[in-house]
Amino acid sequence: MLYAIISEDVADSLPLRKTARPDHIARLERLRDQGRLILAGPLPAVDSEDPGDAGFSGSLVVAEFESLQAARDWADADPYVAAGVYADVQVKPFKAVLP
């Protein structure tokens, strides 16, 4: 089943993101290579494709996992969690309807 992992950043998270980004991206690439990643990306803190120093307000990942608990476990092990990037992480079942 698909799950949405919706994460909210702490204030001024950009330096923390930069430090943990390589490991964070590597995990997403593994999901992609397994054919389980639907989409992933950051949520810009301002209305811009490149938010610059404003950074990001959070992240969204939609991926396939065996269960809600497996999705939560994966989200909890994110390098951004360990680095203190996220203030809150929610994991919810997701049903793709379109396209």
Side-chain angles (χ1 to χ4, degrees):
M1 181 165 177
L2 296 178
Y3 296 89
I5 301 169
I6 307 151
S7 306
E8 182 178 334
D9 282 21
V10 298
D12 302 315
S13 64
L14 193 55
L16 298 171
R17 276 180 169 269
K18 287 179 178 178
T19 300
R21 188 173 190 275
D23 291 337
H24 172 77
I25 295 297
R27 292 180 83 235
L28 291 169
E29 288 171 340
R30 283 193 295 278
L31 276 181
R32 179 201 61 205
D33 294 348
Q34 295 167 359
R36 297 170 45 205
L37 182 64
I38 303 303
L39 66 88
L43 305 171
V46 295
D47 188 12
S48 174
E49 187 77 19
D50 180 4
D53 291 339
F56 301 94
S57 64
S59 300
L60 172 64
V61 174
V62 177
E64 183 180 346
F65 293 93
E66 292 180 10
S67 66
L68 179 58
Q69 188 59 54
R72 285 183 177 146
D73 291 346
W74 187 90
D76 288 345
D78 193 305
Y80 279 0
V81 170
V85 171
Y86 295 146
D88 183 57
V89 177
Q90 295 183 30
V91 181
K92 299 180 179 193
F94 180 80
K95 181 174 173 62
V97 175
L98 293 171

